[in-house]
Amino acid sequence: MPPSTHTLTRPFHRLAHLLSRAARAAWYPIHGIWYFLRHPEFYPIFVGRLLPLSIISFLVYFILFTFTFIPQFLLLYIFQGRAGALINTTVLVLGEGLVLIQALFEGLFVDECRVDIFDATLINHGFVDLIAPQRVLFVDAPNSVKMLGKPTSRAEYSPFSWIQIFELVACLPLNLIPYIGTPAFIMITGSRVGKLSHYRWYKLRGIDKKTMKRDLHFKSWDYLWFGTVAMVLQLIPVLSFFFLLTTTSAAAMWAAKMEELSRVRVGRPVTAQDRVEQETDDPVYHDDPV
């Protein structure tokens, strides 16, 4: 019996679905830039805390490019030629700067800002009830940022880990590999960045580590592409801190979309329309309504 048309086209539908998910996830960090710029209430957070840190990051990169770029370029030039050595050395030095900046500043000074941006974005999307149990909210405030009071429980955008820093350092030598080394470095480190982008959302929902790990594995393809674009933005000197905030807005926008879909589907039978949406929208974690 000859195979049906559906059987023959299934691999192509699967490929199209994966490409669609990748494109959607990769678009969120770009959309987050536009979203951040359209919300002036976020500006004081950037100016008050991250602008000074951006100046510090400029000094870090200036020192690295001044004293380490040429020796590393000459080493790579022997094996990769001028063009390959120029690209890979640039990414290598940017990666080294990112390691130093994350180790020195991000965990201590930036995480609180990212929590505020993430929570404010969720509030802008109507999920006040998700934030209210976790922090004091001033409901009469003129905008979502000014609504935010002190957290009533531990608030982290993503947990600071020396293991993460070590992994970033361990992946830096990938840039020594011609052609594929630099993309591999960005994608491998970006995958972790993507998976950490919704740590705050899972905590707000009260999801345990086991369930979180399972859900992250289920959406690993999407987080790979979200994190890859986010990683590219973070490698841009001076503006890396700005893009940390815009990517945080993007992660919250994505979480709001999944939260909305989850709330619509929980508590009623799955319909044919739901199945169509599940093929076109991001994978969604489903609460147990009982």
Side-chain angles (χ1 to χ4, degrees), residues 34-264:
W34 175 239
Y35 181 87
F36 188 93
L37 293 174
R38 287 175 51 241
H39 289 78
E41 65 267 26
F42 293 156
Y43 296 175
I45 297 178
F46 172 70
V47 174
R49 179 69 63 84
L50 298 185
L51 185 58
L53 294 180
S54 295
I55 296 174
I56 295 174
S57 72
F58 170 78
L59 294 177
V60 170
Y61 283 119
F62 177 79
I63 293 172
L64 286 175
F65 273 97
T66 300
F67 296 102
T68 70
F69 182 86
I70 293 179
Q72 294 179 91
F73 172 78
L74 293 176
L75 176 63
L76 293 180
Y77 179 78
I78 298 173
F79 302 100
Q80 300 181 13
R82 183 175 182 178
L86 182 61
I87 295 173
N88 288 355
T89 305
T90 301
V91 175
L92 183 60
V93 175
L94 291 175
E96 291 165 352
L98 184 62
V99 171
L100 289 174
I101 292 168
Q102 285 188 340
L104 293 174
F105 306 116
E106 274 194 33
L108 298 176
F109 301 108
V110 180
D111 198 74
E112 180 183 347
C113 299
R114 303 187 78 182
V115 168
D116 288 346
I117 292 294
F118 191 88
D119 290 358
T121 303
L122 286 178
I123 290 173
N124 286 340
H125 283 78
F127 294 107
V128 177
D129 61 310
L130 200 61
I131 308 300
Q134 305 293 333
R135 65 190 306 167
V136 176
L137 293 179
F138 304 104
V139 294
D140 296 328
N143 60 59
S144 57
V145 172
K146 292 186 177 181
M147 283 180 63
L148 301 175
K150 291 184 177 181
T152 55
S153 59
R154 185 172 181 176
E156 293 177 307
Y157 178 75
S158 62
F160 179 78
S161 172
W162 285 108
I163 296 177
Q164 179 184 352
I165 300 297
F166 175 79
E167 289 180 348
L168 188 58
V169 173
C171 288
L172 279 174
L174 288 173
N175 291 283
L176 302 176
I177 303 175
Y179 305 113
I180 64 172
T182 295
F185 167 75
I186 294 174
M187 294 181 72
I188 291 173
T189 54
S191 177
R192 175 170 289 275
V193 169
K195 289 180 179 179
L196 289 174
S197 64
H198 281 154
Y199 179 86
R200 174 66 174 165
W201 180 51
Y202 286 114
K203 288 300 182 181
L204 288 172
R205 292 170 60 104
I207 305 301
D208 61 84
K209 289 185 178 180
K210 182 178 180 180
T211 305
M212 185 192 306
K213 185 177 181 180
R214 184 175 66 244
D215 201 42
L216 289 174
H217 177 73
F218 181 63
K219 297 197 289 282
S220 59
W221 173 254
D222 308 78
Y223 285 129
L224 167 64
W225 295 104
F226 179 94
T228 295
V229 176
M231 189 67 186
V232 171
L233 294 174
Q234 288 184 39
L235 288 173
I236 299 177
V238 183
L239 294 176
S240 59
F241 282 122
F242 171 73
F243 288 131
L244 277 176
L245 290 191
T246 62
T247 301
T248 302
S249 291
M253 293 165 60
W254 187 8
K257 176 65 174 178
M258 292 191 288
E259 184 73 20
E260 178 184 349
L261 292 173
S262 178
R263 295 188 183 194
V264 167

